[in-house]
Amino acid sequence: MKKIAVVGSGYVGLVAAACFSEIGHEVICIDKQQEKIEKLKNGIIPIYEPGLKEIVLRNTAEKRLIFSTELISSCQKSDAIFIAVGTPPCVENEKEANLDDFYQVVEDIAKQVDGYKVIVNKSTVPVGTGEKTLEIIRKSGKTFDVVSNPEFLREGVAIEDFMKPDRVVIGIENKKSKQEMLAIYQPLITLNQDRDIMFTMDIKSAEMTKYVANAMLACRISFMNEISELCRKVDANVDDIKRGIGSDHRIGRYFLSSGIGYGGSCFPKDVEAIVKTAEINDTDFSILKAVQNRNNQQKKIIVEQIKKDFGADLKGKKFTLWGLAFKPETDDIREAPSLTIIQQLLKLGAEIHCHDEQAVDNVKKYFQQNPNYNQLFFYDDKYDATQESDGLILCTEWHQYYEVDFEKISQNMRDKYIYDGRRIWSKKWSEEQKDNSFHWWKV
Ligand code: NAD
């Protein structure tokens, strides 16, 4: 079993640290945020991720998982150091990934940690970052190896994705670091022995693999969103088309749902970053630019429809918004389409009555400084949020929204406009159409 340090205790770092300890390694999970580490030491999980709490508590009790703010001493004790800090878009130039936190960690380790270590990069970083990391390490006179091990987990099912991965991509530059990585992942290789999960390649290819995967998925989403718009115009049913094409194994049935656009901390920034990489390398990535354009339009599509239905002055109008997180089973609101919709509706003067299972606190924090914050209301019960409402907007398809008492909603609502931003109410759509009490619009 190995001694592992994981730097960054966010959605990726904390899950990776917990899972590495679950498969038997001794793990120190590090973060620069004192408050986060204090919470974790006290058994409080700062994010919502199903199943994570149990694993953290079990492994901290068995002393395989500890938390610390001490980067250097923790790394000094470890064989491998996984870096899982955030790489958000730069504030001044939104296209590039901001690698300040990442390089800060690399510099600190290069200067102050001794002996042989494998520095493993789990953060999503532009191609060439591994090479620069090596340069920093060589300049400091150290002989650490550098590995790229991009993370593919999905929030909401992160534990399962980590423990039963489709693949573990390892970018390496020599045999020694490959052996170290195989030793770290051996318990997962054994757990998933029905298939080959380890994909070894050079560092640059590993870095690119992560971006290309996200770019390809974003392409599928924007493609289907464009198809959906065309279907609305020619009166065809995009759900039937989805079934019709998804059955073709060359296409596959995943990622064919239309919706109000992709969000989250990965797709938007990773698509931006690969477009930027292309630009730097004299390549016009026109397909991805179109993907981005469609996604930006898609986030505004419901408000455009609301303006058609109610006009551009929404003072005195109340809208209910179900689902704030960028997707179900997470409290993460980074780049969530709900934020764009709320911002636009607030500006137009509407009141917004929100419900979400996990993301309410994050949304409150996000809008606290907004001059129209007093037009925003939050509810524990989804039906309470529909009282006297003029329109119900579905942004995130949490499980509980699939089964809805539309009769109750009909009694609660003032005007009966339904904006199904995830196409989850297809049956209801046709049923309710007959009695004509609702005005349905589906993305
Ligand atoms: P996050 O913002 O949730 O967590 C990052 C953590 O790193 C924060 O807690 C921050 O305090 C900590 N940190 C920053 N600088 C530090 C330093 N110098 N020392 C110690 N801790 C430091 O980010 P995340 O969502 O976990 O993403 C991390 C990386 O993984 C990103 O590059 C992201 O693109 C990638 N990724 C994310 C997902 C996802 O679903 N969230 C999936 C795959 C890959």
Side-chain angles (χ1 to χ4, degrees):
M1 287 301 134
K2 293 282 175 186
K3 292 191 164 117
I4 294 175
V6 178
V7 188
S9 311
Y11 289 87
V12 167
L14 186 55
V15 169
C19 291
F20 278 139
S21 66
E22 180 77 355
I23 58 174
H25 299 301
E26 267 178 46
V27 183
I28 309 180
C29 191
I30 302 145
D31 206 283
K32 64 178 180 182
Q33 293 181 48
Q34 180 90 38
E35 197 192 330
K36 211 176 223 186
I37 292 300
E38 280 312 312
K39 278 188 180 168
L40 286 163
K41 282 182 176 173
N42 290 309
I44 301 164
I45 311 298
I47 54 167
Y48 175 72
E49 181 60 47
L52 181 58
K53 186 170 185 167
E54 292 78 356
I55 298 186
V56 168
L57 293 183
R58 182 165 52 243
N59 287 285
T60 44
E62 290 174 14
K63 307 227 174 340
R64 273 194 304 269
L65 177 61
I66 58 171
F67 298 99
S68 173
T69 51
E70 297 293 322
L71 176 72
I72 302 306
S73 60
S74 304
C75 291
Q76 193 58 63
K77 285 180 214 153
S78 306
D79 306 312
I81 302 161
F82 283 74
I83 305 178
V85 299
T87 51
C90 279
V91 178
E92 41 325 327
N93 175 5
E94 290 232 330
K95 288 185 172 171
E96 278 179 15
N98 180 337
L99 301 181
D100 291 354
D101 284 344
F102 176 81
Y103 281 127
Q104 186 60 57
V105 173
V106 173
E107 297 269 2
D108 289 348
I109 294 171
K111 271 188 209 140
Q112 298 178 61
V113 176
D114 297 314
Y116 173 74
K117 309 283 170 197
V118 186
I119 313 290
V120 187
N121 182 24
K122 261 216 168 301
S123 299
T124 305
V125 293
V127 60
T129 305
E131 212 167 48
K132 284 187 199 151
T133 305
L134 256 177
E135 268 170 39
I136 295 171
I137 284 162
R138 296 288 174 260
K139 255 191 208 157
S140 70
K142 305 288 159 70
T143 52
F144 306 155
D145 278 323
V146 171
V147 171
S148 167
N149 174 209
E151 184 51 63
F152 296 94
L153 61 76
R154 295 162 299 165
E155 288 174 23
V157 280
I159 304 291
E160 176 152 350
D161 280 352
F162 198 95
M163 301 300 263
K164 295 181 194 160
D166 286 341
R167 76 301 210 188
V168 175
V169 169
I170 309 274
I172 39 122
E173 28 117 41
N174 61 34
K175 260 191 183 163
K176 192 174 175 190
S177 54
K178 181 177 175 180
Q179 290 315 321
E180 286 291 321
M181 293 306 287
L182 289 177
I184 289 169
Y185 278 102
Q186 188 53 52
L188 283 190
I189 297 169
T190 310
L191 265 174
N192 297 281
Q193 53 190 313
D194 52 321
R195 65 218 155 81
D196 190 7
I197 57 167
M198 300 305 288
F199 289 67
T200 310
M201 53 188 81
D202 63 81
I203 292 177
K204 283 187 175 174
S205 304
E207 289 168 340
M208 278 294 280
T209 300
K210 172 66 193 174
Y211 281 106
V212 175
N214 279 354
M216 173 69 92
L217 293 170
C219 269
R220 281 173 78 103
I221 295 172
S222 280
F223 178 83
M224 285 312 288
N225 283 337
E226 217 135 89
I227 295 293
S228 185
E229 176 166 327
L230 186 55
C231 285
R232 272 197 302 279
K233 289 186 176 152
V234 300
D235 200 20
N237 187 331
V238 74
D239 296 324
D240 289 336
I241 292 160
K242 182 177 144 185
R243 283 192 299 126
I245 63 168
S247 54
D248 183 331
H249 69 271
R250 292 169 306 172
I251 296 172
R253 62 198 163 91
Y254 298 106
F255 266 75
L256 293 179
S257 299
S258 53
I260 48 174
Y262 58 77
S265 66
C266 293
F267 287 2
K269 92 167 160 59
D270 293 352
V271 172
E272 281 283 10
I274 196 169
V275 169
K276 183 70 188 177
T277 299
E279 221 171 275
I280 293 167
N281 290 283
D282 283 333
T283 306
D284 180 20
F285 215 146
S286 54
I287 291 179
L288 282 185
K289 287 180 187 164
V291 165
Q292 290 176 303
N293 282 340
R294 165 49 66 176
N295 200 56
N296 292 337
Q297 280 176 44
Q298 209 67 14
K299 285 184 171 184
K300 297 177 190 149
I301 202 165
I302 284 188
V303 176
E304 289 308 313
Q305 186 59 37
I306 287 176
K307 284 202 262 182
K308 281 184 198 155
D309 294 336
F310 292 89
D313 183 1
L314 297 178
K315 280 196 196 76
K317 297 289 173 203
K318 277 188 185 182
F319 290 91
T320 306
L321 197 147
W322 280 0
L324 298 163
F326 87 92
K327 66 175 192 172
E329 299 296 333
T330 181
D331 59 348
D332 197 347
I333 59 162
R334 289 178 282 185
E335 304 284 332
S338 67
L339 302 181
T340 310
I341 292 173
I342 292 173
Q343 243 143 13
Q344 291 176 311
L345 290 179
L346 288 178
K347 250 189 177 171
L348 297 174
E351 271 186 18
I352 311 166
H353 297 253
C354 308
H355 176 267
D356 188 279
E357 278 185 36
Q358 297 292 338
V360 164
D361 287 347
N362 285 339
V363 170
K364 281 183 183 168
K365 260 186 239 153
Y366 185 90
F367 281 105
Q368 231 154 31
Q369 304 302 326
N370 188 297
N372 305 110
Y373 185 65
N374 60 351
Q375 291 158 229
L376 209 44
F377 303 86
F378 299 92
Y379 296 81
D380 291 334
D381 178 89
K382 64 176 183 268
Y383 293 112
D384 289 349
T386 63
Q387 291 288 353
E388 296 296 306
S389 176
D390 295 298
L392 165 61
I393 304 162
L394 179 93
C395 279
T396 315
E397 66 281 30
W398 282 95
H399 188 67
Q400 62 165 299
Y401 301 144
Y402 281 84
E403 277 308 312
V404 175
D405 183 348
F406 278 98
E407 216 174 291
K408 195 167 175 177
I409 290 182
S410 174
Q411 284 159 14
N412 282 354
M413 287 178 78
R414 194 160 61 182
D415 231 337
K416 296 183 179 64
Y417 284 81
I418 307 273
Y419 301 94
D420 181 354
R422 297 290 171 189
R423 292 187 73 86
I424 67 171
W425 293 320
S426 53
K427 251 180 105 191
K428 299 282 178 202
W429 161 275
S430 47
E431 279 168 18
E432 303 293 342
Q433 277 287 69
K434 283 180 204 146
D435 73 16
N436 243 352
S437 63
F438 286 102
H439 305 276
W440 293 85
W441 182 88
K442 303 209 307 169
V443 73

